[in-house]
Amino acid sequence: MNLMYKSTRNSEHKVVASQAILQGLSSDGGLYVPESIPQLSKSMDELAKMDYPTLAYEVMKLYFTDYTEEELRNCINRAYDDKFDTPHIAPIKAVGDSYYLELFHGATIAFKDMALSILPHLLTTAAKKNKVKEDIVILTATSGDTGKAALSGFADVDGTKIVVFYPKDGVSSVQKKQMVTQKGSNTLVIAVEGNFDDTQTGVKAIFNNKDLAKEMKERGYRFSSANSINIGRLIPQVVYYVYAYANLYKNGVIKNGEKINFVVPTGNFGNILAAYYGKRMGLPIDKLICASNENKVLYDFFETGRYDKNREFVLTTSPSMDILISSNLERLIYQIADCDSSITRELMEALSSEGAYEISDSMKDNLAGFIGGWADSNEAKETIHRVYNEDKYVLDTHTAVATTVYNNYMKETGDKTKTVIVSTASPYKFADSVLEAIQSDSVPAEDYDQALMLKDLSGVDIPKAVEEIHSAPVLHKITCKVDEMEDNIKEYLKII
Ligand SMILES: *Cc1c(COP(=O)(O)O)cnc(C)c1O
């Protein structure tokens, strides 16, 4: 019997995993969720002996039940290979009194690689299984890291094209350079005059445009999404939470069954939602601490039960968290509404018409275990400085937000529970802000000089991803307005 996936906005509509992955978003605008969250089927003693790909199979097979063992293992083996600079894939580092789960050892040195290195394989396998004849056009809005990770995952993958939109002034210089230098005959990268939410809203409108979908089909194309709303991105992220726990257990840091906390620097709510799924699968997790920057919609939501995106959008030094509409929160809303799709639909409709909604008291009760926190760019900067001075460990700006939130949480609660801070990017990706924090007086102007300085300070080699873009030519130069996004796609696919 297959695990079926339902839309968060319509419980009548059910599909198998491969169809949910192909579609990305459900046609009613909802997100696909598993009908029930499966339980871990192996003991922690068994899981602790597994390497990353083996463990990944144990977790993913519980969700992607219509993939054969061969298909799924094949996807996993093609994803978690030497594109990562360590065979551990997601290593844990003990620093001071906490543990960092480093999710930045993949091709684009940010955590998006964890899911986007496998998604193209899950997707092309799904297309084969479902006898899809059209080429798949991946359409993505990015606040920086998704774009490059998706481009790198899909570049030159047969039967796919990939179009990435990014907010013109909303990504770091390295992020931008990584994207505009992307090779591959099937890639298109466009800067949008607007912020990330404008860009994401534009992409969602294109997805929901039925006329366009029809035109596309006539020309042999269909859209799919690599954004974190795709269930094929969410589930691979559950793996590293299980892996982190199994590792701490294996190394004697925790006893079997001992509860731990995770602190997650959050934007679209995908990463921390994967931790929540892990917890619901039986992983011993106590608190899930959701760390935001100045765009603290989620912090306010956890404090008050009211989600309100009507506020000023702030550009921070942690751009991948500069988000006011956290798309994946819809999946949590659905869970805390006891899987009631009409409640979820009403709240999401209120979000799109009024920009705000408020959850009921019983839903609020179901949020127990989540803690919200936030830190501004200045505090994050001080944290980078302090952790470097104390431990010679260099945090990136996003991870620094999480560390700050955790320190504040510790001060307030005295919670002694062992805690893993999820580290979502290499400091090399945000070298200017990181160097500014460590020694503000002498930051070189050029990206590559910054990398060299960071190497001196941290003793960590310059990652391949940074070496590569050093001399690469700019291949993507288009900038457009939000209302021109669709035309650009049509032009690229020659359907104008
Ligand atoms: C995407 C990203 C985040 C936010 O993750 P979500 O799953 O969107 O909450 C945090 N840090 C970095 C470096 C990222 O790339």
Side-chain angles (χ1 to χ4, degrees):
M1 267 257 292
N2 275 322
L3 176 62
M4 301 302 286
Y5 287 78
K6 295 199 292 196
S7 161
T8 47
R9 300 190 195 181
N10 173 7
S11 55
E12 302 302 306
H13 177 65
K14 289 182 197 176
V15 297
V16 292
S18 66
Q19 285 161 353
I21 289 172
L22 268 176
Q23 287 176 36
L25 202 65
S26 167
S27 56
D28 50 45
L31 276 56
Y32 284 111
V33 280
E35 202 162 28
S36 62
I37 295 178
Q39 295 302 296
L40 286 170
S41 58
K42 293 264 158 70
S43 71
M44 199 44 69
D45 283 298
E46 288 171 284
L47 294 171
K49 291 195 193 90
M50 295 177 186
D51 63 7
Y52 196 91
T54 311
L55 186 93
Y57 176 71
E58 286 306 321
V59 173
M60 288 193 229
K61 75 172 187 192
L62 303 170
Y63 286 95
F64 301 150
T65 57
D66 68 318
Y67 285 70
T68 65
E69 174 167 356
E70 193 194 348
E71 284 169 341
L72 194 50
R73 284 203 195 271
N74 210 346
C75 291
I76 290 168
N77 291 336
R78 283 198 277 172
Y80 305 111
D81 59 9
D82 59 12
K83 287 192 285 301
F84 287 78
D85 66 12
T86 159
H88 296 291
I89 309 294
I92 288 202
K93 299 262 164 72
V95 178
D97 292 331
S98 30
Y99 298 86
Y100 284 91
L101 175 62
E102 294 185 347
L103 301 181
F104 55 76
H105 290 271
T108 75
I109 59 176
F111 106 91
K112 307 287 192 297
D113 289 326
M114 301 304 296
L116 282 166
S117 49
I118 190 166
L119 184 68
H121 305 297
L122 291 172
L123 198 58
T124 47
T125 306
K128 256 182 235 142
K129 294 174 76 63
N130 289 280
K131 309 207 165 33
V132 169
K133 289 182 210 72
E134 297 90 26
D135 276 6
I136 293 169
V137 180
I138 298 293
L139 187 56
T140 291
T142 185
S143 56
D145 292 334
T146 302
K148 180 60 186 188
L151 285 162
S152 132
F154 281 95
D156 292 325
V157 172
D158 281 349
T160 71
K161 290 192 188 298
I162 170 157
V163 182
V164 171
F165 292 100
Y166 68 94
K168 188 165 156 278
D169 300 314
V171 301
S172 83
S173 136
V174 170
Q175 287 176 320
K176 182 170 175 172
K177 217 177 244 178
Q178 279 188 314
M179 288 192 277
V180 297
T181 57
Q182 178 64 47
K183 295 189 200 114
S185 56
N186 63 338
T187 65
L188 176 67
V189 179
I190 297 178
V192 177
E193 293 171 11
N195 64 33
F196 173 68
D197 286 318
D198 302 329
T199 309
Q200 173 149 280
T201 305
V203 160
K204 277 188 183 164
I206 295 172
F207 268 120
N208 291 332
N209 183 335
K210 301 231 159 61
D211 295 333
L212 179 62
K214 214 172 129 229
E215 275 178 87
M216 296 264 297
K217 193 159 178 166
E218 282 161 12
R219 303 297 170 104
Y221 294 116
R222 64 183 283 162
F223 280 131
S224 191
S225 155
N227 270 35
S228 63
I229 50 174
N230 194 310
I231 194 75
R233 267 189 67 185
L234 183 67
I235 301 307
Q237 295 178 174
V238 178
V239 174
Y240 49 76
Y241 287 100
V242 182
Y243 188 70
Y245 190 94
N247 249 298
L248 290 178
Y249 169 56
K250 184 168 78 184
N251 294 324
V253 175
I254 51 173
K255 293 195 277 297
N256 198 354
E258 181 177 340
K259 285 190 175 176
I260 62 173
N261 300 331
F262 283 100
V263 190
V264 187
T266 298
N268 231 339
F269 208 75
N271 200 355
I272 194 166
L273 185 74
Y276 173 76
Y277 272 46
K279 184 174 179 177
R280 293 285 302 268
M281 291 177 81
L283 201 61
I285 296 177
D286 191 21
K287 297 288 186 294
L288 289 174
I289 302 170
C290 175
S292 301
N293 62 24
E294 286 94 321
N295 298 291
K296 59 184 184 59
V297 217
L298 288 165
Y299 167 78
D300 292 342
F301 171 71
F302 285 118
E303 286 292 296
T304 65
R306 182 177 164 81
Y307 192 94
D308 189 349
K309 71 151 184 120
N310 301 309
R311 60 181 74 202
E312 199 190 332
F313 179 86
V314 187
L315 288 177
T316 71
T317 55
S318 43
S320 301
M321 297 158 70
D322 290 347
I323 288 172
L324 293 180
I325 305 174
S326 301
S327 305
N328 260 300
L329 188 66
E330 179 166 345
R331 288 191 166 107
L332 181 67
I333 295 294
Y334 174 84
Q335 295 295 336
I336 61 172
D338 297 323
C339 305
D340 188 322
S341 53
S342 51
I343 293 179
T344 311
R345 193 177 55 238
E346 272 167 36
L347 295 176
M348 293 306 128
E349 280 169 1
L351 178 64
S352 76
S353 59
E354 281 129 54
Y357 61 82
E358 187 148 357
I359 60 172
S360 68
D361 286 341
S362 71
M363 285 174 76
K364 236 185 267 177
D365 292 342
N366 287 343
L367 282 180
F370 277 99
I371 307 269
W374 72 285
D376 67 22
S377 296
N378 241 334
E379 293 169 288
K381 187 175 167 182
E382 283 165 19
T383 299
I384 293 172
H385 188 88
R386 184 180 52 76
V387 172
Y388 177 73
N389 277 353
E390 287 173 5
D391 300 300
K392 291 286 167 287
Y393 185 71
V394 181
L395 300 172
D396 98 285
T397 47
H398 303 73
T399 310
V401 168
T403 302
T404 311
V405 165
Y406 174 57
N407 289 341
N408 293 341
Y409 167 78
M410 287 265 284
K411 262 184 232 145
E412 271 164 40
T413 62
D415 186 356
K416 295 273 187 319
T417 309
K418 301 228 170 61
T419 296
V420 175
I421 298 170
V422 176
S423 178
T424 49
S426 158
Y428 278 100
K429 198 149 193 175
F430 303 93
D432 50 352
S433 304
V434 168
L435 286 170
E436 178 86 16
I438 295 177
Q439 46 175 54
S440 57
D441 48 348
S442 57
V443 182
E446 287 300 314
D447 292 338
Y448 196 71
D449 294 333
Q450 294 172 0
L452 289 170
M453 180 178 263
L454 201 50
K455 179 176 187 243
D456 272 351
L457 289 169
S458 66
V460 175
D461 282 342
I462 299 178
K464 216 167 79 192
V466 174
E467 293 285 3
E468 272 171 6
I469 55 167
H470 178 37
S471 55
V474 172
L475 302 173
H476 302 274
K477 295 176 182 162
I478 306 174
T479 298
C480 79
K481 299 200 168 61
V482 175
D483 61 8
E484 296 167 346
M485 291 166 67
E486 184 177 325
D487 282 345
N488 271 289
I489 294 178
K490 285 182 162 173
E491 206 166 297
Y492 176 61
L493 298 177
K494 302 191 175 62
I495 55 177
I496 270 182

